[in-house]
Amino acid sequence: MTKYCKGCGALLQNEDQNAIGYVPTLDSSYCQRCYRICHYGDVTINMQKGIESAETFEKIDKLDGVVFWVVDLFAFEASMIPRLNQKLPGKKIVLVLTKRDVLPKTLTDRKILEFVDDRLHEEGIHVEAAIILGGLLKGGEECEHSIELLQEALRRYAHEQNAIFMGVANSGKSTLINRLLSSSDLTTSRNPGTTLDVVTIMNGDHFIYDTPGIENHHSILTHIPAKDLKTLIPIKPVRPLVTQIYENQSFAVGGLARMDVYTNGKATVVGYFSRSVSVHRGKLEKADELWKKHLGGMLSPALDTSLETMHTYHAPHFEGKLDVVIQGIGWFCVSGDIKDIYVKVHKGIFVTFRKAMI
């Protein structure tokens, strides 16, 4: 009988120790990769860049059920999937917004939903409904309340139908399903690409499907070494880093991104990043010297070895407050008397300029 890993969905095999799905004996329930992730946090085969998205969408399209699209609120732009309705024609989609607990508590759920509605409209994406969840990693009352909301959404939108959980790699699908089913069967980790194929779980009279994370090569999380992921992915509420500036300034997010702000007068810059990420502020005139001297040292983690290999984005003119989002790791909110903003990142990483979330 053909067997698949209960944790990641990979086809089990005992012929190649260096290949996906390897088990010493075929009567195992979990592949060796999942076993080592769960017990040692050791990713023996790194699938960080995800599974080919066209292949994953093809599998999801063939499944019968309602799609529950899991989106990481903190990494919202990196979780967006352009033309989602066209990629899954005829599928009913419910938006599941996770990691609410990572955002500041001063940001209300109402404002989150208004922001999300605006962004979905801009992207031309239609969903049946949206729910906000938090506390899934740490458990407790917030987690219990979140699971009650999810169960109600399942009853309302997937009544007598299967539920298909999908989303960009590292959005928290497997963690969410484990909490929903009060189980630890699905393998979870901070590493994108943990789930490798569709995992089918019986839930009463219907199925729940956990699917591989959709690849996003434009997120820093796809490119950064696995050892640095714990630095970049917040598990505690972010503390806004508020700075008042009166002259041209430069802000370095580790060695991964640099934002140069040219100001005509007073301005405010607020950073929203993991507490483990160092944000260095200094005079713009000294920024190049600092970057050349400390990239890979004080300015860590880093993907580049010099400014020459990085791509530069130029912010559009704006009124009010502007979010400058470095996909995957956080954002700056900028307001005041701004003349120009330039952002340098590793080539291929997207920077999104949007109306402020907070």
Side-chain angles (χ1 to χ4, degrees):
M1 179 180 175
T2 302
K3 287 189 64 176
Y4 296 88
C5 175
K6 287 176 63 177
C8 70
L11 176 66
L12 297 179
Q13 54 87 16
N14 64 348
E15 296 175 355
D16 185 351
Q17 294 187 40
N18 298 315
I20 293 297
Y22 175 76
V23 286
T25 60
L26 290 175
D27 60 353
S28 303
S29 296
Y30 291 89
C31 69
Q32 184 167 273
R33 175 178 180 268
C34 281
Y35 182 85
R36 294 197 64 84
I37 288 174
C38 292
H39 291 85
Y40 305 107
D42 179 13
V43 182
T44 54
I45 303 175
N46 192 338
M47 298 296 291
Q48 198 168 332
K49 294 190 182 299
I51 310 299
E52 175 62 40
S53 60
E55 178 183 338
T56 301
F57 277 119
E58 185 177 342
K59 291 180 179 181
I60 294 172
D61 190 43
K62 290 179 179 178
L63 296 173
D64 180 33
V66 176
V67 170
F68 286 79
W69 175 27
V70 182
V71 167
D72 178 344
L73 272 170
F74 179 75
F76 184 83
E77 301 303 332
S79 296
M80 283 287 94
I81 302 176
R83 300 179 61 251
L84 180 58
N85 298 105
Q86 288 81 2
K87 291 172 180 175
L88 298 174
K91 284 279 195 291
K92 182 189 293 184
I93 300 173
V94 177
L95 179 60
V96 181
L97 300 161
T98 63
K99 303 185 185 179
R100 168 66 180 92
D101 49 309
V102 169
L103 298 180
K105 294 189 181 298
T106 52
L107 177 63
T108 65
D109 286 0
R110 180 183 61 80
K111 186 160 186 183
I112 290 174
L113 290 175
E114 288 176 355
F115 165 82
V116 170
D117 283 345
D118 287 345
R119 288 293 292 114
L120 292 180
H121 179 73
E122 290 169 1
E123 294 291 336
I125 298 174
H126 171 75
V127 298
E128 297 293 318
I131 59 173
I132 301 175
L133 309 183
L136 298 174
L137 283 177
K138 64 183 179 182
E141 289 185 10
E142 186 176 12
C143 177
E144 291 175 6
H145 176 65
S146 292
I147 295 307
E148 289 174 2
L149 288 176
L150 179 59
Q151 289 170 335
E152 172 58 29
L154 285 165
R155 286 191 293 267
R156 182 172 181 179
Y157 299 104
H159 179 61
E160 296 186 351
Q161 296 182 72
N162 302 322
I164 307 162
F165 286 84
M166 63 147 284
V168 168
N170 213 56
S171 57
K173 301 180 303 301
S174 300
T175 298
L176 178 61
I177 296 172
N178 277 344
R179 289 292 191 186
L180 174 66
L181 301 178
S182 300
S183 166
S184 58
D185 284 353
L186 296 175
T187 302
T188 62
S189 78
R190 287 180 178 174
N191 293 70
T194 301
T195 303
L196 301 177
D197 208 333
V198 175
V199 181
T200 304
I201 307 161
M202 197 70 196
N203 184 41
D205 296 332
H206 301 91
F207 293 112
I208 285 178
Y209 297 106
D210 187 18
T211 62
I214 304 299
E215 61 182 354
N216 180 1
H217 294 312
H218 306 300
S219 166
I220 283 180
L221 299 184
T222 305
H223 299 269
I224 199 74
K227 63 181 178 62
D228 294 319
L229 287 170
K230 65 181 180 181
T231 299
L232 302 178
I233 301 174
I235 57 175
K236 296 180 179 180
V238 295
R239 291 174 178 163
L241 179 64
V242 183
T243 306
Q244 301 290 339
I245 65 174
Y246 301 88
E247 59 182 351
N248 300 339
Q249 297 278 289
S250 181
F251 297 81
V253 183
L256 296 171
R258 189 177 110 184
M259 182 177 73
D260 297 339
V261 181
Y262 294 80
T263 177
N264 292 316
K266 181 181 177 181
T268 302
V269 177
V270 185
Y272 296 92
F273 299 92
S274 167
R275 299 184 187 187
S276 302
V277 175
S278 297
V279 179
H280 298 272
R281 168 199 171 193
K283 292 184 178 181
L284 181 55
E285 62 202 50
K286 296 183 178 180
D288 284 359
E289 178 185 344
L290 176 74
W291 202 263
K292 291 174 184 177
K293 185 176 180 180
H294 294 291
L295 184 61
M298 181 178 74
L299 301 180
S300 292
L303 286 172
D304 294 84
T305 56
S306 79
L307 290 170
E308 316 313 324
T309 58
M310 302 180 79
H311 179 71
T312 301
Y313 286 84
H314 183 205
H317 175 74
F318 67 96
E319 304 259 341
K321 297 195 295 184
L322 178 77
D323 279 349
V324 180
V325 184
I326 297 106
Q327 284 207 10
I329 63 168
W331 70 95
F332 290 103
C333 180
V334 184
S335 60
D337 195 358
I338 300 295
K339 180 181 178 182
D340 265 321
I341 299 173
Y342 292 91
V343 184
K344 298 180 185 296
V345 290
H346 184 66
K347 285 183 179 176
I349 304 302
F350 279 2
V351 172
T352 304
F353 302 101
R354 70 186 185 195
K355 182 180 177 182
M357 173 189 277
I358 300 175

